[in-house]
Amino acid sequence: MSSATEPLPGTSDCWEPEVLDWIELETAAREIFHRYGYAEVRTPIFERTEVFVRSLGDETDVVQKEMYTFTDRGGRSLTLRPEGTAGVIRAVADRGLEQGEEARVFYFGPMFRGERPAAGRRRQFHQVGVEAVGNDSPWMDAECIAMLSHFLDQIGVTGGKIKINSRGLPEDRPQVSAALAEYFTPHAPGMCEDCQRRLTTNIWRMLDCKNPACQEVAAGAPDLVSLMGDDTRAFFARVCQSLDSLGVDYEVAPRLVRGLDYYIHTVFEITHPGLGAQDALAGGGRYRIVLPGAKKPVEGIGFAAGMERLLLARASLGRQTTAVAEADIAIISLGENAILPGLRLAQELRATLSGLRVKADFTGRSLKAQMRGANRSGARLALIRGDNELAENVVLCRDMTTSEQQSVPAADLMAWIDERRTTLFA
Ligand code: AMP
């Protein structure tokens, strides 16, 4: 394959039958999230850059290193969305949310991050996510995590590990940051450059550095929740108690912070052993976001799961993609005169026989060449007509599996196929 036809690094083309797996995943997500009273929203793939910078925080890896930002012809700075929450919150704010009113929504779609491509890490990837905006209840957090767990069960992704923690409230941060500074300062010289910078810019992020040496140091850092105020600890305890009461399996990860600055209170992540080095399947948490131009922050809870990784995790559990044929019925037209009747027959079949794929050959090639094409498409039935069949008003029906052939009056064709539908297309 020449490089001119290959997709860019970190992106890929997706063909059937994989496309059918994606559709199945989306259908299951819609079905489950609807059961919880969430409605689907579709927001633009690009937004004003400030939508992301303001809500994700400018000290985050995503904003600092990974955004696809460009200037459009009108001189505006725009960014391909690196995640779903900021755009959804903008959309909810644009619609207006009255005091005390909630929005519960879910979304699917491509996200873009300029990361170094690796197995399970792409530059265009896809997420399915939810946001419940306009609430400040710990029970909402518990329901959201339970919904994610329900969704994973429904799509057959078992064996994931749910880890939760609290990022606390802004008023908890000074004492946590001070304790982290006390712990990290003596270790800093042995840590990566990013962490040395984070020591003064965003010390919490030292806890989730990907560098193995930094991770080793971070593992000994103090337990965050124990440093937080009574209200925060009570909020977190409610989330944990509710999850226990719902029977959701999770563990508390005392140093989990997640990468984005907008989080408050509950943060969570699901890892899966089938994913290899990039083992994060989904992540989320409670957030408070101030949008550009807005006076008050919007609070909500949400999560996003990587769709490629959901499919990888499912495949690691032995779930195979079922191959499907391009066509069930091939229409073969021999000679110029048969082509238009072939086109009409194909339309009639599609109007009558739902669920079957019908492909007509308009090339006027030889019978042999058209049969070869029909075979390649996986068709189980070929309907053949040339001048003779048209004159006699019959269709030659060939069972592609047994090679048996029968001449059927055109008027009886639909009934003939219908009678054999289960055996022919089993
Ligand atoms: P994040 O917002 O980074 O926590 O992303 C949520 C989920 O999206 C992760 O748990 C992954 O499953 C998926 N994800 C994030 N970044 C990538 C990427 N570059 N390639 C593939 N999947 C990703």
Side-chain angles (χ1 to χ4, degrees):
M1 201 191 299
S2 81
S3 61
T5 59
E6 271 176 31
L8 289 166
T11 71
S12 61
D13 303 312
C14 182
W15 293 82
E16 285 198 18
E18 279 84 352
V19 171
L20 303 179
D21 284 344
W22 284 77
I23 294 171
E24 190 194 316
L25 207 62
E26 290 177 7
T27 306
R30 265 189 198 105
E31 208 272 310
I32 294 295
F33 301 154
H34 279 156
R35 281 197 222 179
Y36 286 78
Y38 284 63
E40 185 167 349
V41 63
R42 299 181 184 198
T43 65
I45 279 168
F46 59 93
E47 299 270 358
R48 282 183 290 276
T49 300
E50 59 179 0
V51 168
F52 303 111
V53 175
R54 285 289 298 271
S55 48
L56 307 185
D58 45 19
E59 231 330 281
T60 55
D61 278 356
V62 170
V63 167
Q64 287 214 332
K65 304 181 199 159
E66 296 169 1
M67 293 206 307
Y68 280 104
T69 297
F70 59 98
T71 306
D72 77 354
R73 286 167 199 267
R76 287 167 288 253
S77 176
L78 307 180
T79 294
L80 297 183
R81 62 182 185 195
E83 56 92 67
T85 305
V88 168
I89 299 295
R90 183 210 42 75
V92 169
D94 185 50
R95 232 187 180 199
L97 201 61
E98 301 289 323
Q99 190 68 31
E101 205 189 356
E102 276 190 51
R104 299 185 191 184
V105 297
F106 65 92
Y107 60 86
F108 307 101
M111 305 293 160
F112 306 87
R113 293 185 195 171
E115 298 189 81
R116 197 154 46 78
R121 188 169 63 213
R122 299 155 45 101
R123 291 183 171 163
Q124 174 173 335
F125 60 100
H126 298 74
Q127 287 184 339
V128 46
V130 311
E131 310 295 346
V133 191
N135 70 79
D136 56 10
S137 152
W139 293 285
M140 197 71 221
D141 297 10
E143 188 184 70
C144 193
I145 295 170
M147 176 167 78
L148 174 55
S149 165
H150 187 172
F151 168 58
L152 294 177
D153 282 349
Q154 183 78 12
I155 59 171
V157 175
T158 50
K161 196 186 268 179
I162 306 178
K163 298 171 192 164
I164 80 168
N165 195 23
S166 176
R167 293 258 330 217
L169 288 167
E171 49 269 35
D172 295 311
R173 306 236 161 110
Q175 69 259 28
V176 178
S177 301
L180 291 175
E182 194 178 322
Y183 172 75
F184 277 121
T185 305
H187 291 100
M191 299 178 78
C192 74
E193 258 175 45
D194 280 341
C195 279
Q196 295 186 15
R197 185 171 43 79
R198 288 171 185 142
L199 190 62
T200 48
T201 56
N202 191 342
I203 197 160
W204 294 59
R205 298 294 323 284
M206 293 179 79
L207 293 167
D208 71 347
C209 181
K210 307 281 181 309
N211 184 309
C214 301
Q215 282 179 350
E216 215 169 285
V217 176
D223 172 337
L224 304 184
V225 177
S226 68
L227 301 164
M228 293 173 185
D230 291 347
D231 289 351
T232 304
R233 292 213 308 276
F235 189 104
F236 189 57
R238 284 228 168 87
V239 176
C240 295
Q241 284 155 9
S242 310
L243 288 172
D244 291 338
S245 152
L246 292 172
V248 176
D249 214 7
Y250 67 94
E251 64 183 53
V252 173
R255 281 167 285 276
L256 176 72
V257 289
R258 301 214 5 97
L260 308 177
D261 287 349
Y262 56 40
Y263 289 117
I264 55 164
H265 283 310
T266 320
V267 284
F268 56 97
E269 205 159 79
I270 302 197
T271 54
H272 196 277
L275 290 179
Q278 308 296 325
D279 67 349
L281 194 59
R286 174 163 288 281
Y287 48 79
R288 212 174 259 172
I289 296 178
V290 186
L291 283 169
K295 289 193 192 72
K296 280 195 302 192
V298 187
E299 186 164 331
I301 167 94
F303 64 75
M307 296 179 73
E308 285 84 359
R309 293 193 195 172
L310 290 173
L311 293 172
L312 276 173
R314 199 163 70 158
S316 78
L317 296 166
R319 171 68 179 257
Q320 308 246 320
T321 298
T322 326
V324 284
E326 276 169 34
D328 299 298
I329 301 177
I331 310 266
I332 292 180
S333 304
L334 301 170
E336 183 82 32
N337 295 335
I339 293 185
L340 181 57
L343 168 62
R344 284 213 309 270
L345 175 60
Q347 282 301 81
E348 202 183 327
L349 290 167
R350 292 170 187 137
T352 320
L353 304 167
S354 71
L356 291 182
R357 299 181 178 208
V358 181
K359 213 169 168 183
D361 191 323
F362 302 126
T363 58
R365 296 180 287 181
S366 69
L367 175 63
K368 201 167 150 201
Q370 292 198 46
M371 286 300 283
R372 238 193 336 260
N375 248 323
R376 256 202 304 271
S377 72
R380 312 293 280 273
L381 176 66
L383 301 178
I384 307 163
R385 281 193 302 188
D387 290 335
N388 292 344
E389 287 74 20
L390 285 170
E392 290 167 27
N393 220 2
V394 295
V395 178
L396 212 52
C397 301
R398 183 181 175 92
D399 181 326
M400 300 291 283
T401 318
T402 62
S403 302
E404 276 169 30
Q405 209 159 283
Q406 196 180 333
S407 177
V408 176
D412 301 338
L413 183 65
M414 291 301 165
W416 188 92
I417 296 175
D418 224 25
E419 267 168 39
R420 289 158 185 78
R421 193 170 165 147
T422 46
T423 45
L424 268 174
F425 307 111

